Amino acid sequence: MGSEQEAEDAVQEIFLKAYKSITKYKPSVSFNAWLYKIAYHHCLNVIHRRQLSQKLGRLWKGQIFAESAEQEYLRGTFSEPLRRALVDLTVEDRSLLILYAFHDKSYAEISEITGKTSEAVRKKITRIRIKLKEAMNKWKEEEQWETSLIQSKS
């Protein structure tokens, strides 16, 4: 099954979950944040199941799995230092960063989606950004060192 079909299936599953739990929706929370929360947790569960399946598959059968849609997207969208830094983040950290940076969600909205306080979200995103910057700088330094080593041997 292709990643486009998987995405369509995921969207259907998310809307089905939302439909089944519509009675739990409280108007004190924005509908958008409520729906994002369902999607956020659904996607985290899918990613965790996929990672577990891949780890178990490699242990038991030595299987090599194709790149996930997320990995494919990261490879094609970002510079190598940023892509490597993003891949090294945990799924949860990457999800918070995506909500903040790519979906333009405020700390309050992310707080509603994740169930964390706004202050905890703000601190976590600040730490993630620092971690990304350090990882990117480290990767650039390693690449410069490797390039200079190769050039000096020529």
Side-chain angles (χ1 to χ4, degrees):
M1 188 175 344
S3 59
E4 190 174 314
Q5 182 61 46
E6 288 174 352
E8 289 175 13
D9 292 345
V11 169
Q12 288 178 355
E13 290 174 31
I14 291 165
F15 278 111
L16 185 60
K17 285 181 181 180
Y19 176 76
K20 287 179 178 178
S21 59
I22 194 73
T23 57
K24 297 177 186 173
Y25 170 68
K26 294 180 180 122
S28 60
V29 175
S30 80
F31 184 78
N32 189 19
W34 178 79
L35 190 56
Y36 256 96
K37 184 174 186 171
I38 292 170
Y40 172 81
H41 289 287
H42 174 81
C43 291
L44 285 180
N45 288 335
V46 167
I47 291 168
H48 285 296
R49 280 193 305 267
R50 183 179 294 141
Q51 287 175 340
L52 179 61
S53 173
Q54 288 177 348
K55 286 177 185 174
L56 290 175
R58 278 181 270 179
L59 285 173
W60 290 334
K61 300 177 187 170
Q63 291 179 342
I64 298 174
F65 289 86
E67 221 176 31
S68 71
E70 180 186 26
Q71 291 167 327
E72 209 172 294
Y73 175 77
L74 290 174
R75 187 174 38 76
T77 305
F78 301 111
S79 68
E80 188 63 17
L82 180 55
R83 185 194 67 77
R84 285 184 181 214
L86 286 169
V87 167
D88 288 343
L89 292 176
T90 66
V91 172
E92 290 82 4
D93 285 357
R94 218 172 20 251
S95 297
L96 288 174
L97 192 63
I98 288 168
L99 287 170
Y100 180 75
F102 299 104
H103 292 278
D104 295 321
K105 297 293 179 194
S106 67
Y107 297 134
E109 289 172 314
I110 296 171
S111 170
E112 289 177 21
I113 292 166
T114 61
K116 301 175 194 263
T117 66
S118 292
E119 185 59 20
V121 168
R122 185 192 65 73
K123 286 180 182 177
K124 185 73 172 170
I125 289 175
T126 299
R127 280 189 234 121
I128 294 167
R129 292 170 75 191
I130 291 168
K131 189 188 296 186
L132 267 180
K133 188 174 183 178
E134 289 171 353
M136 288 174 63
N137 287 337
K138 181 181 175 204
W139 189 86
K140 285 179 184 176
E141 288 170 9
E142 287 174 4
E143 170 140 303
Q144 287 172 351
W145 182 82
E146 288 172 3
T147 303
S148 66
L149 183 64
I150 292 168
Q151 289 172 348
S152 68
K153 289 187 176 191
S154 301

